[in-house]
Amino acid sequence: MSSLQALCSGLPLRPLPGEPGTPLAGVPHAPSQGPPASLALRNALRYFPADVQELLAPEFAQELQLYGHIYMYRFCPDIEMRAYPVEQYPCQTKAAAAIMHMIMNNLDPAVAQFPQELVTYGGNGQVFSNWAQFWLTMFYLSKMTEEQTLVMYSGHPLGLFPSSRSAPRLIITNGMVIPNYSSRMEYEKLFALGVTMYGQMTAGSYCYIGPQGIVHGTVLTVLNAARRYLGIEDLAGKVFVTSGLGGMSGAQAKAAVIVGCIGVIAEVDKAALEKRHKQGWLMEVTDSLDRCIQRLREARKRKEVLSLGYHGNVVALWERLVHELDTTGECLVDLGSDQTSCHNPFNGGYYPVQLSFTEAQSLMASNPAVFKDLVQESLRRQVSAINRLAKEKFFFWDYGNAFLLEAQRAGADVEKKGAGRTEFRYPSYVQHIMGDIFSQGFGPFRWVCTSGDPQDLAVTDELAASVLEEAIADGVKVSVKLQYMDNIRWIREAARHRLVVGSQARILYSDQKGRVAIAVAINQAIACRRIKAPVVLSRDHHDVSGTDSPFRETSNIYDGSAFCADMAVQNFVGDACRGATWVALHNGGGVGWGEVINGGFGLLLDGTPEAEQRARLMLSWDVSNGVARRCWSGNQKAYEIICQTMQENSSLVVTLPHEVEDERVLQQALQL
């Protein structure tokens, strides 16, 4: 087995590793991409000197023909892929070692959805486009100094360039395709060529922490959905039906247990379902619809806390729930959503109900046009069933996975009369549930203990909870206090629910003040050796200012700017200017290629005063950028937060928007 030193020594060429590479049996794999292109072979061979190209060319050509993309399976390392303690990496800077730690965590088989294809989550969210890029990146990181910056072009390491100590050590862009060519069809061509890739949100920025992140987001979403739609705080006996147990969606079962409801989650891929069951995230599994309905009824009657995985298609489950309603008069579901990868519906993100999982995988490669027709028919059937249930006291929301957008494109009945382009028959969870939380600056703040020691994580948990409790004691608005209390509850219970998969990481939702205070507390604990090694701060790009996504993060912005991407780009640039260790800018993520631009960061805390100063500056901008944008779009909560922030910080100067108080001013002017 390779060592970390060998992993950082550059692309292994003499001798070449092993035999011609093939996908390993027993490991989940990404579906075949298409179409193959001869230029892709030339592009792949650029990574290798002439004396090995003759051997590799036919091997890569076969990969291209079979999978529609050259992954370079031969070069998949034989080392145990996981986040090693940071001091074990052969590097010249702490920052480089921390980035290596994060990269290897994203590719850990316990974390990654399709590890051999370098896909972390979402069906096509990659860390790199091929294994040569992985080797070269690790080599560059091992050589990097504090006066160099590594530049990444859609998975391709362009090289180390002279820089300054205050500049980011790493700049990442993914999928930055010229707008007129940013279509799904063009993406498939460019991906097949190996010249661009889909970085999702935190896969291609090396900041994924496993499904814990979306567990927490789902916990908050379901809690707040119950408050809004059902008018309750206690979810005992309430049923939440959804689908997807893969990368991000795998969190839904655990979230259902944490909030105390009955979660029924459909999944067509048996491997994904079994993975979550073995991890303890699913309490029970069944492949029988009869048994599924029976257990649901029992759990409702007894008010059990249950996470039940149904191995089958969610459309069949929704249609069975309609059958139960029509034959017994009983609506067995209270809340519903969907977390299939509908941003990628025709390449494995959504499986049609008419086919088995194996049949669907075969058809999507052999006859994409027919497969697309079946997917769209399946979407129409799913929406039809949901519409029937919604006539009862059942509430459905779009979980920002492009489900309603793709359903609309398929001709499903999701229209909301008189609505704008970002509104459908059912709301996005941002519009109804989480939007006001974002507007107050709350979002998915997270950290990773690079020592790999659970005790370090326990210390950070205690620090974070204490910081939020102190904030409440100092006095905060009722709406802010509610969010702090939800997150204190989360952080106090996190260890008990065994949420760590891969790196020793934690997430909570916090506002600007809370994020800065937590970062300062952690940095001081590192300085006094209460925490043994540096800590990486990051967030899901899905946040108050990281993402411009008109069908998700910015779907509740109604001033016409929902389709503008200034905020995400300014977030990326502003974080780089204010001390981020690395920054990332992506096209695509969550809702699909060409539908969103998102920016993210990584920030290393090493116990130094410089790290504290960077955290104060960068985290403040990372939040206030989005709050200010929402303030200008007319959001009252964001307006209040930005006014309060200006009072507390004289360096912040924002010209506040003026509302049109008399609608007659507009009407009279328009009549002219």
Side-chain angles (χ1 to χ4, degrees), residues 11 31 58 85 152 208-209 227 259 275 309 325 340 399 465 513 536 550 564 579 589 603 653 657 668:
L11 198 52
M152 302 293 300
Y208 190 58
I209 60 168
R227 289 165 179 156
V259 302
K275 179 178 180 179
L325 173 62
T340 53
Y399 218 143
K513 187 176 293 186
V536 172
C564 300
L603 177 66
V653 181
Q668 290 171 2

Side-chain angles (χ1 to χ4, degrees), residues 99 103 126-128 149-156 168-176 197 199 203-207 541 572 582-586 598-602:
I99 294 166
I103 287 173
Q126 290 185 285
V127 187
F128 302 102
T149 292
L150 175 60
V151 177
M152 302 293 300
Y153 278 18
S154 292
H156 170 69
R169 298 279 67 81
L170 173 65
I171 305 285
I172 304 168
T173 53
N174 283 307
M176 289 291 106
M197 74 174 202
S205 64
Y206 320 148
C207 290
H541 300 205
F572 164 80
W582 71 93
V583 288
L585 186 68
H586 297 183
N598 62 77
F601 76 88

Side-chain angles (χ1 to χ4, degrees), residues 603-618:
L603 177 66
L604 187 71
L605 298 179
D606 59 7
T608 62
E610 292 79 11
E612 180 175 322
Q613 177 66 2
R614 287 174 179 236
R616 290 183 183 276
L617 286 174
M618 200 223 75

Side-chain angles (χ1 to χ4, degrees), residues 333-349:
V333 56
D334 302 284
L335 300 170
S337 191
D338 185 279
Q339 274 201 18
T340 53
S341 296
C342 271
H343 70 276
N344 184 36
F346 312 124
N347 280 300

